[in-house]
Amino acid sequence: MTASPTRRSVARTSRTVAVGAIAVASALLLTSCGDQTDGAGDDGKKAGGSQAPLHDQLPKEIQDKGVIKVGSDIAYPPVEFKEGGKTVGIDPDLAEAMGEKLGVTLQFNNGTFDTLLTGLRSGRYDIAMSAMTDTKERQEGIDPESGKKVGEGVDFVDYFTAGVSIYTKKGKTQGIETWDDLCGKKIVVQRGTVSEDLAKDQSKKCEKDGEEKIAMESFDQDTEAQTRLRAGGAAAGSSDFPVAAYTVKTSGGGKDFELVGEQVDAAPYGIAVAKKNTELRDAIKAALEAVKEDGTYDKILKKWGVSEGAIDKIAINGGS
């Protein structure tokens, strides 16, 4: 992680969401209301122990403890969030399935997003799984703004792909369809995400083109940014597409917000592992491959309405 980590790299690769957003958001509403497993949250159960098929691939220390400590910002529905006191969502469901293959509990520990990789490096967590984008900067420990090396970097096991979306109050788009339309307007974002980086980059572009800069307000959690926008404190908000679609469909019963324009910056989510923990990294990769091979991976993504984010092959450090 850099001093200002992002969920996305800053390359602009867009894809259309007009139809997909409606379909995905509708599916999210249906699935978020029922048919949920407990995942591998704070009360996840150890499954199989030494009899699990991949247990012996884990480092001995983790085999003995029976727990993989997961650092996660558990306020990012539908990727990970609290419901009825339990940690649920895409990541916890995948983690539970992986735990069954590995014979250990993947125990989620809540933290703010921009501190997760610091916690990973300090040993507070064994892995970080939190809608985190695999980027070269993170792999190499480079600050994306300064270009300077600020840490040893991490390895990623990639498992999903998504882009970034803009949303506004419903019926009050103010002509916003692209990032260029935000010049002279205010946006709210979560601190340390690609949405924040994109807003900074776009603001510089606006100024260079002779237009007013973008005003930006950043928050520790995405839900805080939503609250600010809902109260009329900004023209738009931005977050990862699965999160934006879920927010648009569920907030105020679908009456608060609407998606505008297209997704940008499609890139892989990765599970972060310290560079030195290659044995754990490879065990995580093997578990994800097994979950994908037996069909559980596709079932989980379908359950949360995000099948379009599936990747064909589990990869290590596939981000750019």
Side-chain angles (χ1 to χ4, degrees):
M1 171 183 277
T2 63
S4 177
T6 61
R7 290 182 189 270
R8 294 275 176 268
S9 64
V10 295
R12 310 286 177 89
T13 304
S14 61
R15 56 180 177 178
T16 304
V17 302
V19 176
I22 297 172
V24 171
S26 298
L28 287 170
L29 176 63
L30 292 173
T31 54
S32 66
C33 295
D35 190 30
Q36 295 184 7
T37 63
D38 290 341
D42 307 310
D43 52 357
K45 299 178 180 179
K46 182 177 178 180
S50 60
Q51 296 180 357
L54 300 176
H55 187 73
D56 290 345
Q57 294 193 27
L58 287 166
K60 184 64 165 57
E61 180 183 1
I62 288 179
Q63 290 183 34
D64 292 342
K65 290 190 302 183
V67 173
I68 295 174
K69 296 178 294 183
V70 183
S72 187
D73 178 3
I74 310 174
Y76 211 60
V79 186
E80 50 260 318
F81 62 107
K82 289 284 188 178
E83 185 171 83
K86 295 183 178 180
T87 302
V88 299
I90 301 164
D91 282 357
D93 280 1
L94 287 172
E96 182 177 38
M98 291 162 56
E100 291 175 358
K101 303 296 185 183
L102 294 166
V104 296
T105 298
L106 273 76
Q107 184 184 75
F108 276 66
N109 299 269
N110 195 25
T112 55
F113 184 78
D114 59 357
T115 65
L116 295 182
L117 292 189
T118 301
L120 179 63
R121 287 195 291 265
S122 71
R124 188 184 312 152
Y125 315 123
D126 298 309
I127 63 175
M129 188 176 187
S130 190
M132 184 175 291
T133 298
D134 174 2
T135 67
K136 289 296 184 185
E137 288 88 356
R138 282 194 176 124
Q139 292 170 25
E140 299 171 3
I142 303 296
D143 186 315
E145 289 192 43
S146 67
K148 295 180 179 179
K149 189 171 180 63
V150 294
E152 64 181 357
V154 297
D155 284 335
F156 285 98
V157 182
D158 299 338
Y159 65 100
F160 188 76
T161 187
V164 177
S165 293
I166 300 171
Y167 59 98
T168 67
K169 291 191 71 174
K170 195 160 189 175
K172 297 183 179 180
T173 65
Q174 300 182 48
I176 299 171
E177 293 185 1
T178 70
W179 285 86
D180 287 336
D181 298 324
L182 290 168
C183 295
K185 298 181 175 65
K186 183 177 180 179
I187 189 170
V188 287
V189 296
Q190 182 178 10
R191 186 174 292 108
T193 64
V194 78
S195 294
E196 184 179 50
D197 284 347
L198 287 172
K200 290 177 181 178
D201 290 346
Q202 182 62 45
S203 186
K204 293 175 183 177
K205 182 177 182 295
C206 292
E207 190 174 26
K208 183 179 179 180
D209 293 342
E211 300 184 61
E212 291 185 40
K213 297 196 302 184
I214 297 174
M216 180 175 62
E217 190 171 2
S218 302
F219 297 86
D220 285 338
Q221 296 185 342
D222 194 67
T223 49
E224 295 173 322
Q226 296 166 22
T227 298
R228 182 67 165 163
L229 179 60
R230 191 182 297 111
S238 175
S239 57
D240 290 3
F241 171 66
V243 178
Y246 183 91
T247 298
V248 165
K249 191 62 181 179
T250 59
S251 182
K255 297 179 180 179
D256 288 345
F257 305 120
E258 65 178 279
L259 286 169
V260 295
E262 300 178 340
Q263 289 187 62
V264 300
D265 206 26
Y269 284 174
I271 299 172
V273 188
K275 288 283 189 185
K276 62 182 179 182
N277 290 341
T278 56
E279 190 176 9
L280 176 58
R281 179 200 67 194
D282 293 344
I284 293 293
K285 180 175 184 286
L288 275 169
E289 288 172 336
V291 169
K292 187 168 177 58
E293 185 176 353
D294 71 11
T296 304
Y297 174 86
D298 289 332
K299 289 178 181 177
I300 290 171
L301 297 195
K302 182 178 180 180
K303 167 187 169 180
W304 291 102
V306 293
S307 294
E308 70 176 56
I311 60 175
D312 294 330
K313 183 179 179 180
I314 305 300
I316 293 177
N317 295 334
S320 59

